Amino acid sequence: MKEISKKNTPKWKSELHDIIYEADTPKGKIFDILLIITIIISIVLVMLESVESIDKKYHDLLNISEWVITILFTIEYFARIICIKKPSTYIFSFYGIIDFLATIPKYVSIFLVGSHALVALRALRLLRVFRILKLARYLGASIGLMTALKASRIKISVFLFSVIVLTIILGTIMYLVEGPANGFTSIPRSMYWAIVTLTTVGYGDIAPHTPFGQFIASLVMILGYGIIAVPTGIVTAEITRVDQKKSAINTQHCSNCSADNHLDTSKYCHKCGEKLKNE
Amino acid sequence: MKEISKKNTPKWKSELHDIIYEADTPKGKIFDILLIITIIISIVLVMLESVESIDKKYHDLLNISEWVITILFTIEYFARIICIKKPSTYIFSFYGIIDFLATIPKYVSIFLVGSHALVALRALRLLRVFRILKLARYLGASIGLMTALKASRIKISVFLFSVIVLTIILGTIMYLVEGPANGFTSIPRSMYWAIVTLTTVGYGDIAPHTPFGQFIASLVMILGYGIIAVPTGIVTAEITRVDQKKSAINTQHCSNCSADNHLDTSKYCHKCGEKLKNE
Amino acid sequence: MKEISKKNTPKWKSELHDIIYEADTPKGKIFDILLIITIIISIVLVMLESVESIDKKYHDLLNISEWVITILFTIEYFARIICIKKPSTYIFSFYGIIDFLATIPKYVSIFLVGSHALVALRALRLLRVFRILKLARYLGASIGLMTALKASRIKISVFLFSVIVLTIILGTIMYLVEGPANGFTSIPRSMYWAIVTLTTVGYGDIAPHTPFGQFIASLVMILGYGIIAVPTGIVTAEITRVDQKKSAINTQHCSNCSADNHLDTSKYCHKCGEKLKNE
Amino acid sequence: MKEISKKNTPKWKSELHDIIYEADTPKGKIFDILLIITIIISIVLVMLESVESIDKKYHDLLNISEWVITILFTIEYFARIICIKKPSTYIFSFYGIIDFLATIPKYVSIFLVGSHALVALRALRLLRVFRILKLARYLGASIGLMTALKASRIKISVFLFSVIVLTIILGTIMYLVEGPANGFTSIPRSMYWAIVTLTTVGYGDIAPHTPFGQFIASLVMILGYGIIAVPTGIVTAEITRVDQKKSAINTQHCSNCSADNHLDTSKYCHKCGEKLKNE
């Protein structure tokens, strides 16, 4: 099917397609590696530019480098559109949108030169970091992890919902107990404190000062300490299950003695020596 | 049985009951969704009111909105009492009490206008956040989680008790080592520090200053790091077991002796030897 | 054997023994509950005394209460020695020593009135909190937890040793990178920082200021985040194993068809209906 | 084979080899214990020297002690080279390099007396702490733990990569939301904050000040709270599996075809059907 469709397109297009979209061919591999390096350089450039002292010294160099990378990304973007049969499948795909959002801000910054507006545009430019998400494409090993996380999706949602409800309750209680004088100036701010405490982050920018507030805070901490066990338990149970499915011991029974617990590699029953049928 | 009881009550009552108490009918679903939205709006209003700058600007709007919601909640509260056969089962149920506590504070605030008293009353008003707990009703998925947590109840109690004992001992030791000069002004305050440290929250509002105090604190942290494994281990083991039971042991009952807990692979009842029907 | 030994001792002694050492008899239960309450009161008194404002107001009341409890503990201590056949088994037992250390400091404080010495003696008095450890006696449920923790003893030791080595290395690196100017005044202090960071406590009393120091600190945090998984994994695996040993499915095989996975309560084979032999 | 090679070397060499490299002989044990004690003393000396107040008082004593230990380490280093048949296998081994790096800095400090240079050299001297890594040699119990960690290597890499990507994205978002005015002076610094928050360390040296920033920070914390479950889950599942393999699959080999991985309950080889000898 795929072979046929390739015959209808010009040879250079199908070759370009192989380089850009395929990761198994030698040329495709080189392209992917170069792309990843370019993305990393691009991210480092944005990071360096955000450091004031570096930006002052090397502003022009950074600007030119960013323009070079932006143009390379533009070429890549159009190449992806040209060599694919149905461009819309790429353009409106998750990575198509990310590629677009990673390329456009630099161009927009030419026409709009207002200093204030530029700051806002830089916000969009920084979204270029999302490009690195592309790397996830090349990592197949994450599937097992994803399966486990997806399977525990509902349980984790219930857990997160409980945490939110808890945060609202704890936030309001602490707002009333400690009050604006001790830094708990509003319920949302108290809720922020509750999350900082429940998750055991504990910045210390807001901390209870009254003995009763400290007592409640202690309860919140022990609670947070305890409930951290819940998502861990959910994910662990799920990963264990996913692993066990793949595991070495299969479910077949010996035709002679009905014994089970045979290894995938077993050829004879470990109980009676009968030849196993999966041979 | 339920059908018969409905025939004795007026039709509008049974219809109202279906809307309010049932979640499966189309009208019941709409009611529940509207109720949840109203509860969320109500919580957001209380939150916004607690932010001083917003309260100053929109005090009247917020006050009127809260009155509207309070009246809606009041109507709902009485509707729930009217349409149920035995109102006492609702009024003294967990949600009945929460519904009452979520509605009454606004009314009480009319008759008592003393500014100081009002602050105290607002405390009660804020309990309205408990209303959101109602949402838990609609989440059946939490049962599996609850079973696991209930099963590990005793082990977690033993663990929590050990943590409290540890906190008292560590609190007194640090009170003696660091002393009031370094912020450990009393044993309860030192215990607060011990909990902040053991749970790895670490605000930094109280921190050891003497080298020996820092040495003990280091031991406490490693201890806390280690014992976080205990609740996690307990809950994980329990969730794994609950999951395994679900997968290995099915819910069928023997037609002869009504014994349950049969394995999915069982063909004969393990109690009486009767052939099971799922064959 | 025990019955015979009781006949040789006077009746009141054996009765006292039953009350003090036995927890199953009604009188023994009442004694234990009263003892626990007295211990808790004693701990609360020590706590309150450590709070300066409370100590100033109620110093005499607290002092008298403590004397009453100290005398009660003394009576109990001698009662324990008298009613036991071999007093040395109690005196030199873990709880015997704790009981002695919990009682003696108050008496010593009479003869030595030097203010400085008193502070040191109070240190010993505070060890009275160890009395609460007695409570552990009455909790049988902790055995399962203890078994799991004991079984993972060696693995946890290896883990803790690795953490200590890591702390020394990280502490010296950060001492060199950040230096005394940024709060890392010595290697031990840097090690304290390393533990505060690795255990995710994060007081913030010492924090890296140089970009390179913050980079290393980031690596340390991710490391700490990762290695918290190790003790959790060890303890969880052990608790799961302890649970599975106790679990409902035993290891016997049917004498007729060799099927396994029978429940402990099974009387007939779930595969072929043959009566199981463990009846 | 080993016996033969020993006969070719002089007797004192093979004896020295037994003392230094073997841990099973009585003399070898004494040597190892003395070495560990010397290493610990050496580390304590470096630590004490880094504390300014101690260094001022006991500078000469510390300096002499360090010289004594340095000479002892030098003797040990050459003894190791002399008594081994192929010195290069030791010199370029992991421990050979560490031993060299732990010994050389003190000698280098003689010839270069410039005060500034000395500080840099001390950096190398501090690497002596790596010597303690030798202790790992004597701990065989760590193998089980290592197997579990190695098996979960790929999954943990995927996880760490996701955390890095997340850190870049969160760092840039917070840089834009909070800005330099609130301490988020650059993207790398914001990324440092993101790691401090995600790992639940929470120093509080950088903390969000704007309500929107605090809202995003709350999401980051809950995220960090959730994803801590992932490495824990991975490692736990792996440790459980390693444990189960050990318990279920024994180490015997079939006498006919030398296949391994037999279950404890196996009576016949699963590869060739030969009866196993453990019956």
Side-chain angles (χ1 to χ4, degrees), chain D residues 55-109:
Chain D
D55 188 47
K56 268 183 187 166
K57 267 194 192 164
Y58 307 103
H59 182 77
D60 291 341
L61 182 70
L62 288 169
N63 195 32
I64 291 161
S65 309
E66 272 184 57
W67 268 114
V68 171
I69 283 168
T70 306
I71 288 159
L72 285 174
F73 280 178
T74 314
I75 294 165
E76 185 222 340
Y77 185 70
F78 284 110
R80 277 184 191 276
I81 290 171
I82 289 164
C83 73
I84 207 166
K85 263 195 101 179
K86 285 194 180 178
S88 63
T89 56
Y90 166 68
I91 293 169
F92 300 106
S93 71
F94 180 62
Y95 286 115
I97 292 161
I98 285 173
D99 290 353
F100 182 77
L101 289 173
T103 316
I104 203 75
K106 193 74 190 168
Y107 292 105
V108 178
S109 72

Coordinates of all heavy atoms in Angstrom, one line a residue, chain D residues 55-109:
Chain D
D55 N 41.1 24.9 62.3 CA 42.3 25.0 61.5 C 43.3 25.9 62.1 O 44.5 25.7 62.1 CB 42.0 25.4 60.0 CG 43.2 25.3 59.1 OD1 43.9 24.3 59.2 OD2 43.5 26.3 58.4
K56 N 42.8 27.0 62.6 CA 43.7 28.1 63.2 C 44.4 27.5 64.4 O 45.6 27.7 64.6 CB 42.8 29.3 63.7 CG 42.7 30.4 62.6 CD 42.0 31.6 63.2 CE 41.7 32.6 62.1 NZ 40.7 33.6 62.4
K57 N 43.7 26.8 65.3 CA 44.3 26.2 66.5 C 45.2 25.1 66.2 O 46.3 25.1 66.8 CB 43.1 25.7 67.4 CG 42.6 26.7 68.4 CD 41.8 26.0 69.5 CE 41.0 27.0 70.3 NZ 39.9 26.3 71.1
Y58 N 44.8 24.1 65.4 CA 45.6 22.9 65.3 C 46.2 22.7 63.9 O 46.3 21.6 63.4 CB 44.7 21.7 65.6 CG 44.0 21.7 66.9 CD1 42.6 22.1 67.0 CD2 44.7 21.5 68.1 CE1 42.0 22.1 68.2 CE2 44.0 21.6 69.3 CZ 42.7 21.9 69.4 OH 42.1 22.0 70.6
H59 N 46.5 23.8 63.2 CA 47.0 23.7 61.9 C 48.2 22.8 61.7 O 48.2 21.9 60.8 CB 47.3 25.1 61.3 CG 47.8 25.1 59.9 ND1 46.9 25.0 58.9 CD2 49.0 25.1 59.3 CE1 47.5 24.9 57.7 NE2 48.8 25.0 58.0
D60 N 49.2 22.9 62.6 CA 50.4 22.1 62.5 C 50.1 20.6 62.7 O 50.5 19.8 61.9 CB 51.4 22.6 63.4 CG 52.0 23.9 63.0 OD1 51.8 24.3 61.8 OD2 52.6 24.6 63.9
L61 N 49.3 20.3 63.7 CA 48.9 19.0 64.1 C 48.2 18.3 62.9 O 48.5 17.2 62.5 CB 48.0 18.9 65.3 CG 47.6 17.5 65.8 CD1 48.8 16.8 66.4 CD2 46.5 17.6 66.9
L62 N 47.2 19.0 62.3 CA 46.5 18.5 61.2 C 47.4 18.3 60.0 O 47.3 17.3 59.3 CB 45.3 19.5 60.8 CG 44.2 19.6 61.8 CD1 43.3 20.8 61.4 CD2 43.4 18.3 61.8
N63 N 48.3 19.2 59.8 CA 49.2 19.1 58.6 C 50.1 17.9 58.7 O 50.2 17.1 57.8 CB 50.0 20.4 58.5 CG 50.7 20.5 57.2 OD1 50.2 20.1 56.2 ND2 51.9 21.1 57.2
I64 N 50.7 17.7 59.9 CA 51.6 16.6 60.2 C 50.8 15.3 60.0 O 51.2 14.3 59.3 CB 52.2 16.6 61.6 CG1 53.2 17.8 61.6 CG2 52.9 15.3 61.9 CD1 53.6 18.3 63.0
S65 N 49.6 15.2 60.6 CA 48.7 14.0 60.5 C 48.4 13.7 59.1 O 48.5 12.5 58.6 CB 47.4 14.2 61.3 OG 47.7 14.6 62.6
E66 N 48.1 14.7 58.3 CA 47.8 14.5 56.9 C 49.0 13.9 56.1 O 48.9 13.1 55.2 CB 47.3 15.7 56.2 CG 45.8 15.9 56.4 CD 45.3 17.1 55.7 OE1 45.5 17.2 54.5 OE2 44.7 18.0 56.3
W67 N 50.2 14.5 56.5 CA 51.5 14.0 55.9 C 51.7 12.5 56.2 O 52.1 11.7 55.3 CB 52.7 14.8 56.3 CG 52.9 15.9 55.3 CD1 52.8 17.3 55.5 CD2 53.3 15.8 53.9 NE1 53.0 18.0 54.4 CE2 53.3 17.1 53.4 CE3 53.5 14.7 53.1 CZ2 53.7 17.3 52.1 CZ3 53.8 14.9 51.8 CH2 53.9 16.2 51.3
V68 N 51.5 12.2 57.5 CA 51.7 10.8 57.9 C 50.8 9.8 57.0 O 51.2 8.8 56.5 CB 51.4 10.6 59.4 CG1 51.4 9.1 59.8 CG2 52.4 11.3 60.2
I69 N 49.5 10.2 56.9 CA 48.5 9.4 56.2 C 48.9 9.4 54.7 O 48.8 8.3 54.1 CB 47.1 9.9 56.4 CG1 46.6 9.5 57.8 CG2 46.1 9.4 55.4 CD1 45.4 10.1 58.3
T70 N 49.3 10.5 54.2 CA 49.7 10.6 52.8 C 50.8 9.6 52.5 O 50.8 8.9 51.5 CB 50.1 12.0 52.4 OG1 49.1 12.9 52.7 CG2 50.4 12.1 50.9
I71 N 51.8 9.6 53.4 CA 53.0 8.6 53.2 C 52.5 7.2 53.3 O 52.9 6.3 52.5 CB 54.1 9.0 54.3 CG1 54.7 10.3 53.9 CG2 55.1 7.8 54.3 CD1 55.5 11.0 55.0
L72 N 51.6 6.9 54.3 CA 51.0 5.6 54.4 C 50.3 5.2 53.1 O 50.5 4.0 52.6 CB 50.1 5.5 55.6 CG 50.7 5.5 57.0 CD1 49.6 5.6 58.1 CD2 51.5 4.2 57.2
F73 N 49.5 6.1 52.6 CA 48.8 5.8 51.3 C 49.8 5.6 50.2 O 49.5 4.7 49.3 CB 47.9 7.0 51.0 CG 46.6 7.0 51.8 CD1 45.6 8.0 51.6 CD2 46.3 6.0 52.7 CE1 44.4 8.0 52.3 CE2 45.1 5.9 53.4 CZ 44.2 7.0 53.2
T74 N 50.9 6.3 50.2 CA 51.9 6.2 49.1 C 52.5 4.8 49.2 O 52.6 4.1 48.2 CB 53.0 7.2 49.3 OG1 52.4 8.5 49.5 CG2 53.9 7.3 48.1
I75 N 52.9 4.4 50.4 CA 53.4 3.0 50.6 C 52.5 2.0 50.1 O 52.8 1.0 49.4 CB 53.8 2.8 52.1 CG1 54.9 3.7 52.5 CG2 54.2 1.3 52.4 CD1 55.1 3.8 54.0
E76 N 51.2 2.1 50.5 CA 50.2 1.2 50.1 C 50.0 1.1 48.6 O 49.9 0.1 48.0 CB 48.8 1.6 50.8 CG 47.7 0.6 50.5 CD 46.4 1.3 50.1 OE1 46.3 2.5 50.5 OE2 45.5 0.6 49.5
Y77 N 50.1 2.3 48.0 CA 49.9 2.4 46.5 C 51.0 1.6 45.8 O 50.8 0.9 44.9 CB 50.0 3.9 46.1 CG 49.7 4.1 44.6 CD1 48.4 3.9 44.1 CD2 50.7 4.5 43.8 CE1 48.2 4.1 42.8 CE2 50.5 4.7 42.4 CZ 49.2 4.5 41.9 OH 48.9 4.7 40.6
F78 N 52.3 1.8 46.3 CA 53.4 1.1 45.6 C 53.4 -0.4 45.9 O 53.7 -1.2 45.1 CB 54.8 1.8 46.0 CG 55.0 3.1 45.3 CD1 54.9 4.3 46.0 CD2 55.2 3.1 43.9 CE1 55.1 5.5 45.3 CE2 55.4 4.3 43.2 CZ 55.4 5.5 43.9
A79 N 53.0 -0.7 47.2 CA 52.8 -2.1 47.5 C 51.9 -2.8 46.6 O 52.1 -4.0 46.1 CB 52.4 -2.3 49.0
R80 N 50.7 -2.2 46.3 CA 49.7 -2.7 45.4 C 50.3 -3.0 44.0 O 50.1 -4.0 43.4 CB 48.6 -1.8 45.3 CG 47.6 -1.9 46.4 CD 46.3 -1.0 46.2 NE 45.5 -0.9 47.4 CZ 44.6 -1.9 47.7 NH1 44.4 -2.9 46.9 NH2 43.9 -1.8 48.9
I81 N 51.2 -2.0 43.6 CA 51.8 -2.1 42.2 C 52.8 -3.3 42.2 O 52.8 -4.1 41.3 CB 52.4 -0.8 41.8 CG1 51.3 0.3 41.5 CG2 53.3 -1.0 40.6 CD1 51.9 1.6 41.3
I82 N 53.6 -3.3 43.2 CA 54.7 -4.3 43.3 C 54.1 -5.8 43.3 O 54.6 -6.6 42.6 CB 55.6 -4.1 44.5 CG1 56.4 -2.8 44.2 CG2 56.6 -5.3 44.7 CD1 57.1 -2.2 45.5
C83 N 53.2 -6.0 44.2 CA 52.8 -7.4 44.5 C 51.8 -8.0 43.4 O 51.5 -9.2 43.4 CB 52.2 -7.6 45.9 SG 50.6 -6.9 46.0
I84 N 51.3 -7.1 42.5 CA 50.4 -7.7 41.5 C 51.2 -8.0 40.3 O 52.3 -7.4 40.0 CB 49.3 -6.6 41.2 CG1 48.1 -7.4 40.6 CG2 49.8 -5.6 40.2 CD1 46.8 -6.5 40.6
K85 N 50.8 -9.1 39.5 CA 51.6 -9.5 38.4 C 51.6 -8.5 37.3 O 52.6 -8.2 36.7 CB 51.0 -10.9 37.9 CG 51.8 -12.1 38.4 CD 51.5 -13.3 37.7 CE 52.6 -13.7 36.6 NZ 52.3 -14.9 35.9
K86 N 50.4 -8.0 36.9 CA 50.3 -7.0 35.9 C 49.9 -5.7 36.5 O 48.7 -5.4 36.7 CB 49.2 -7.4 34.8 CG 49.7 -8.5 33.9 CD 48.7 -8.6 32.7 CE 49.1 -9.7 31.7 NZ 48.2 -9.9 30.6
P87 N 50.9 -4.8 36.9 CA 50.6 -3.6 37.6 C 49.6 -2.7 36.8 O 48.8 -2.0 37.4 CB 51.9 -2.9 37.7 CG 52.9 -4.0 37.6 CD 52.3 -5.0 36.6
S88 N 49.6 -2.8 35.5 CA 48.7 -1.9 34.7 C 47.2 -2.2 35.0 O 46.4 -1.3 34.9 CB 49.0 -2.1 33.2 OG 48.7 -3.4 32.8
T89 N 46.9 -3.5 35.3 CA 45.5 -3.8 35.6 C 45.0 -3.0 36.8 O 43.9 -2.7 37.0 CB 45.3 -5.3 35.8 OG1 46.2 -5.7 36.9 CG2 45.6 -6.1 34.6
Y90 N 46.0 -2.8 37.8 CA 45.6 -2.0 39.0 C 45.6 -0.5 38.7 O 44.7 0.2 39.0 CB 46.5 -2.4 40.2 CG 46.4 -1.4 41.3 CD1 45.2 -1.3 42.1 CD2 47.4 -0.5 41.6 CE1 45.1 -0.4 43.1 CE2 47.3 0.4 42.6 CZ 46.1 0.5 43.3 OH 46.0 1.4 44.3
I91 N 46.7 -0.1 38.1 CA 46.9 1.4 37.9 C 45.8 2.0 37.1 O 45.3 3.1 37.5 CB 48.3 1.7 37.2 CG1 49.4 1.3 38.2 CG2 48.4 3.1 36.9 CD1 50.8 1.2 37.6
F92 N 45.3 1.3 36.1 CA 44.3 1.9 35.3 C 42.9 1.5 35.6 O 41.9 1.7 34.9 CB 44.6 1.7 33.8 CG 45.9 2.3 33.4 CD1 47.1 1.6 33.2 CD2 46.1 3.7 33.3 CE1 48.3 2.1 32.8 CE2 47.3 4.3 33.0 CZ 48.4 3.5 32.8
S93 N 42.8 0.7 36.7 CA 41.5 0.3 37.2 C 40.8 1.5 37.9 O 41.5 2.5 38.2 CB 41.6 -0.8 38.2 OG 42.1 -0.4 39.4
F94 N 39.5 1.4 38.1 CA 38.8 2.5 38.8 C 39.4 2.9 40.1 O 39.7 4.0 40.4 CB 37.3 2.0 39.0 CG 36.4 3.1 39.7 CD1 36.2 4.3 39.1 CD2 35.8 2.8 40.9 CE1 35.4 5.2 39.7 CE2 35.0 3.7 41.5 CZ 34.8 5.0 40.9
Y95 N 39.7 1.8 40.9 CA 40.3 2.1 42.3 C 41.7 2.6 42.2 O 42.2 3.4 43.0 CB 40.1 0.9 43.2 CG 38.7 0.7 43.6 CD1 38.0 -0.4 43.2 CD2 38.1 1.7 44.4 CE1 36.6 -0.5 43.6 CE2 36.8 1.6 44.8 CZ 36.0 0.5 44.4 OH 34.7 0.4 44.7
G96 N 42.5 2.1 41.2 CA 43.8 2.5 41.0 C 43.9 4.0 40.8 O 44.7 4.7 41.4
I97 N 43.0 4.5 39.9 CA 43.0 5.9 39.6 C 42.6 6.7 40.8 O 43.2 7.8 41.2 CB 42.1 6.2 38.4 CG1 42.7 5.6 37.1 CG2 41.8 7.7 38.2 CD1 41.7 5.4 36.0
I98 N 41.5 6.2 41.6 CA 41.1 6.9 42.8 C 42.2 7.0 43.8 O 42.5 8.0 44.4 CB 39.8 6.3 43.3 CG1 38.6 6.6 42.5 CG2 39.6 6.7 44.8 CD1 37.4 5.9 42.8
D99 N 42.9 5.8 44.0 CA 44.0 5.8 44.9 C 45.1 6.8 44.6 O 45.6 7.5 45.5 CB 44.7 4.4 45.0 CG 43.7 3.4 45.6 OD1 42.7 3.8 46.1 OD2 44.1 2.2 45.5
F100 N 45.4 6.9 43.3 CA 46.4 7.9 42.8 C 46.0 9.3 43.1 O 46.7 10.1 43.7 CB 46.7 7.7 41.3 CG 47.7 8.6 40.8 CD1 49.1 8.3 41.0 CD2 47.4 9.7 40.0 CE1 50.1 9.2 40.5 CE2 48.4 10.6 39.5 CZ 49.7 10.3 39.8
L101 N 44.7 9.6 42.7 CA 44.2 11.0 42.9 C 44.0 11.3 44.4 O 44.1 12.5 44.8 CB 42.8 11.1 42.2 CG 42.8 11.1 40.7 CD1 41.4 11.1 40.2 CD2 43.5 12.3 40.2
A102 N 43.9 10.3 45.3 CA 43.8 10.6 46.7 C 45.1 10.8 47.3 O 45.2 11.4 48.4 CB 43.1 9.4 47.4
T103 N 46.2 10.4 46.7 CA 47.6 10.5 47.3 C 48.4 11.7 46.7 O 49.1 12.4 47.5 CB 48.3 9.2 47.0 OG1 47.5 8.1 47.2 CG2 49.6 9.1 47.9
I104 N 48.3 12.0 45.5 CA 49.2 13.0 44.8 C 49.0 14.4 45.3 O 50.0 15.1 45.4 CB 49.1 12.8 43.3 CG1 50.3 13.4 42.6 CG2 47.8 13.5 42.7 CD1 51.5 12.5 42.7
P105 N 47.8 15.0 45.5 CA 47.7 16.4 45.8 C 48.6 16.9 46.9 O 49.1 18.0 46.7 CB 46.2 16.6 46.2 CG 45.5 15.4 45.6 CD 46.5 14.3 45.7
K106 N 48.7 16.2 48.0 CA 49.6 16.6 49.1 C 51.0 16.9 48.6 O 51.7 17.8 49.0 CB 49.5 15.6 50.2 CG 50.1 16.1 51.5 CD 49.2 17.0 52.2 CE 49.8 17.7 53.4 NZ 49.1 18.8 53.9
Y107 N 51.5 16.0 47.7 CA 52.9 16.1 47.2 C 53.0 17.3 46.3 O 54.0 18.1 46.4 CB 53.3 14.9 46.5 CG 53.5 13.7 47.4 CD1 52.6 12.6 47.4 CD2 54.6 13.6 48.2 CE1 52.7 11.5 48.2 CE2 54.8 12.5 49.1 CZ 53.8 11.5 49.0 OH 54.0 10.4 49.9
V108 N 52.0 17.5 45.5 CA 52.1 18.6 44.5 C 52.1 20.0 45.3 O 52.7 20.9 44.9 CB 50.8 18.6 43.6 CG1 50.8 19.8 42.6 CG2 50.8 17.3 42.8
S109 N 51.4 20.0 46.5 CA 51.3 21.2 47.3 C 52.7 21.7 47.8 O 52.8 22.9 48.2 CB 50.4 21.1 48.4 OG 51.0 20.2 49.4

